[in-house]
Amino acid sequence: MEIGSSDKSNGASLAVSWQNETRLAEQWARVRACLLAEVGEVEYRTWLKQVSFAGLAGDEAVVMLPTRFLRDWVNKEYGELIAEFWRQVNPAVKRVEFRAGAPSARPAAPDLAEPAQPALAATPKRQEPVSALDQRFTFETFVVGKPNEFAYACARRVAEAPATPGFNPLFLYGGVGLGKTHLMHAIAWELAARPGGGRAVSVAYMSAERFMYRFISALRSQSTLEFKNELRSVDVLMIDDLQFLIGKDNTQEEFFHTFNALVDAGKQIVISADKSPSDLSGLEDRLRTRLGCGMVADLHATTFELRYSILEAKAQRAGVEVPAKVLEFLARKITSNNRELEGALNRLVAHANLFSRQVTLDTAHEVLHDVLKAHDRKISIQEIQKRVCEHYNIRLAEMSSARRAQNVARPRQVAMYLAKQLTSKSLPDIGRHFGNRDHTTVMHAVARVTELAERDAAFAEDIELLRRMLET
């Protein structure tokens, strides 16, 4: 039959097919929105933006990636997460198949720049406490350092002995990407692996936004009793990003009563937010008071040492050799949060694998140019001195001292060299910043560093590392 035929039965079949295609495209858009909310923009853009939906084959959703490497990586790192979100938006989907290649044309899914539907955060049912939790987020993979060691210890204590007096509720707070969600997932995994009283520990984990979404849905469907009973029957309730309840008075009211019911029943509550309970303006006073009555633990901004350890651990788990100079460069440059830090390393490693290239400072600068966002800015001599001192582990005062020991004189010469290269200051001006030294001393330092860099590749790499960190 020709395409232009007016056969009604065939036309109806095509209409139904198109409706199904559109419905699946909308479901895929929801899965994508959930992935973006779960892993963050940087990690999503690095690994998941290129995933496309190819269609359903029975109870199996088929997704495509452009290369076999990306197919294998995404399947390994995000396969379970994608499958779980698919099951939540379409219960008929039992599993996901990952293929390499280009998908056939399909109805376009809504762009993620549009307002996304509430993320279907992991909300494990009773007897299935961690079905949608991220398998990467365990205590074993959490890198501990000074900024997060107290929060880590508190999380461990709750996982070992839920509802311990003084630790209920456990309130974790800190900025974006510092490890709050990682610790919450780690607690859930630990509890799921440790049966208590002859039965499995039931854990409900969800974002505050998801809590609100489910509460509103229960109101609309007149099923609030079922909603209350479901949440108040668990052993552990975990609510992520509580700040999203600010200004939502009805949802706060419901959460307050759920909170009280669980605590009174001796059940554990774990909460995370971007601020401490006392600083969460917009929450009801009675709720803020209850949140602060247990253990409050903050995760501070990461230090250079912790960022370096995180990168080192991630590279080791991935089985990829990344030079120490590159790890140091990333740890010093990307200081905002751990997600962006790990996302940058993922991109760098993927680029090296795809093009069979070694990971070097040059490739880091090339591949991560949009993350590093090099700025055309003025660099001060004081900034150069501080950075060089940090790199060589000497005191800032040594830049102006009269000491001539090699471990002090060489970094001082490097700082003079960089001051000449990166600032518009004259030689006499530079000398004045280094203990009123003569301009000939600066000239000698520049010549000496240039000579050493030409002879010693490792030293030249040091200079390049310092220059890039100062310029970007």
Side-chain angles (χ1 to χ4, degrees):
M1 184 176 294
E2 296 180 3
I3 294 176
S5 170
S6 60
D7 184 276
K8 292 183 178 180
S9 62
N10 191 46
S13 176
L14 288 173
V16 171
S17 177
W18 177 256
Q19 289 172 357
N20 287 339
E21 294 281 3
T22 304
R23 178 174 54 82
L24 289 172
E26 291 172 351
Q27 291 175 356
W28 174 236
R30 293 183 66 190
V31 172
R32 291 168 60 207
C34 294
L35 289 169
L36 176 60
E38 183 73 14
V39 306
E41 183 177 354
V42 173
E43 191 169 340
Y44 178 89
R45 187 174 64 244
T46 303
W47 296 108
L48 300 173
K49 190 174 182 179
Q50 297 183 73
V51 183
S52 57
F53 175 54
L56 282 182
D59 61 356
E60 191 173 70
V62 179
V63 297
M64 308 291 294
L65 289 111
T67 67
R68 280 183 289 181
F69 169 79
L70 281 174
R71 177 200 63 189
D72 295 340
W73 180 276
V74 172
N75 188 14
K76 175 185 175 184
E77 296 296 326
Y78 304 99
E80 286 298 320
L81 191 61
I82 294 173
E84 177 58 27
F85 284 140
W86 256 116
R87 286 191 288 268
Q88 291 187 43
V89 301
N90 186 345
V93 175
K94 303 303 181 185
R95 53 191 172 275
V96 177
E97 180 181 358
F98 294 81
R99 296 180 184 175
S104 59
R106 299 199 160 267
D111 192 271
L112 288 180
E114 300 174 2
Q117 299 186 40
L120 299 178
T123 53
K125 297 180 181 179
R126 197 172 183 83
Q127 306 303 328
E128 297 178 355
V130 291
S131 59
L133 294 172
D134 195 320
Q135 295 183 350
R136 299 168 300 168
F137 292 167
T138 66
F139 284 123
E140 289 68 29
T141 60
F142 189 85
V143 180
V144 184
K146 284 291 182 183
N148 60 27
E149 61 183 0
F150 180 65
Y152 173 82
C154 292
R156 273 286 195 186
R157 178 65 180 274
V158 167
E160 293 167 0
T164 298
F167 287 83
N168 196 20
L170 171 62
F171 191 100
L172 304 170
Y173 76 94
V176 174
L178 296 183
K180 303 185 299 295
T181 298
H182 189 142
L183 286 178
M184 294 182 78
H185 284 219
I187 292 172
W189 282 119
E190 192 78 8
L191 289 171
R194 186 183 295 114
R199 64 174 180 82
V201 177
S202 59
V203 181
Y205 167 87
M206 67 185 75
S207 67
E209 186 179 20
R210 177 62 176 163
F211 180 92
M212 178 184 69
Y213 174 70
R214 294 188 62 193
F215 175 57
I216 293 173
S217 296
L219 288 174
R220 289 174 176 170
S221 62
Q222 298 183 342
S223 59
T224 54
L225 183 59
E226 290 84 348
F227 173 76
K228 294 173 187 286
N229 289 338
E230 178 186 351
L231 289 186
R232 298 180 190 186
S233 65
V234 300
D235 298 311
V236 181
L237 176 63
M238 313 180 82
I239 302 293
D240 209 352
D241 290 327
L242 190 73
Q243 68 272 10
F244 285 109
L245 293 190
I246 290 176
K248 313 297 191 303
D249 295 342
N250 290 337
T251 308
Q252 282 189 41
E253 176 83 13
E254 178 58 31
F255 177 70
F256 177 76
H257 292 305
T258 299
F259 182 104
N260 286 338
L262 287 170
V263 171
D264 291 345
K267 305 300 178 63
Q268 177 71 49
I269 295 179
V270 182
I271 307 291
S272 83
D274 60 351
K275 298 177 182 176
S276 68
S278 60
D279 291 331
L280 283 173
S281 58
L283 286 184
E284 294 182 4
D285 289 339
R286 59 177 182 171
L287 178 56
R288 187 186 300 109
T289 300
R290 291 305 303 268
L291 292 172
C293 70
M295 180 59 65
V296 178
D298 61 334
L299 292 90
H300 300 287
T302 55
T303 60
F304 164 75
E305 291 77 14
L306 180 55
R307 291 192 297 273
Y308 187 95
S309 298
I310 290 170
L311 289 170
E312 189 175 40
K314 188 169 184 65
Q316 288 176 353
R317 287 197 299 271
V320 178
E321 185 176 349
V322 180
K325 297 293 184 183
V326 175
L327 297 179
E328 181 180 348
F329 174 66
L330 295 179
R332 290 198 184 278
K333 288 307 304 173
I334 304 176
T335 62
S336 55
N337 64 70
N338 297 340
R339 292 177 191 166
E340 188 172 2
L341 188 68
E342 294 183 17
L345 181 63
N346 286 340
R347 286 179 62 182
L348 195 56
V349 170
H351 181 273
N353 287 334
L354 287 169
F355 295 98
S356 300
R357 296 173 61 182
Q358 290 185 332
V359 177
T360 66
L361 280 175
D362 286 335
T363 56
H365 205 69
E366 173 190 343
V367 174
L368 303 175
H369 62 92
D370 60 322
V371 177
L372 300 174
K373 293 181 180 177
H375 299 288
D376 182 15
R377 62 184 180 86
K378 293 182 179 179
I379 302 172
S380 69
I381 293 178
Q382 292 87 345
E383 186 179 358
I384 293 171
Q385 290 176 331
K386 181 181 178 181
R387 182 69 73 183
V388 171
C389 287
E390 289 175 351
H391 184 75
Y392 287 103
N393 196 27
I394 64 173
R395 293 181 298 112
L396 187 59
E398 301 290 8
M399 288 288 145
S400 302
S401 74
R403 290 188 60 197
R404 296 188 177 184
Q406 181 75 0
N407 66 322
V408 172
R410 182 70 70 237
R412 189 190 297 133
Q413 289 178 332
V414 168
M416 290 181 182
Y417 170 87
L418 291 171
K420 179 66 173 65
Q421 298 296 319
L422 301 177
T423 75
S424 58
K425 298 292 185 182
S426 65
L427 294 178
D429 283 341
I430 295 173
R432 280 191 286 271
H433 282 83
F434 289 85
N436 289 319
R437 283 177 163 79
D438 189 81
H439 73 280
T440 57
T441 303
V442 179
M443 290 176 61
H444 173 73
V446 172
R448 183 59 176 156
V449 170
T450 302
E451 178 188 352
L452 287 173
E454 291 174 352
R455 294 192 337 230
D456 188 335
F459 180 74
E461 194 173 357
D462 260 0
I463 302 302
E464 181 65 11
L465 172 66
L466 284 165
R467 184 184 69 79
R468 288 185 173 176
M469 287 193 297
L470 286 162
E471 286 183 331
T472 57

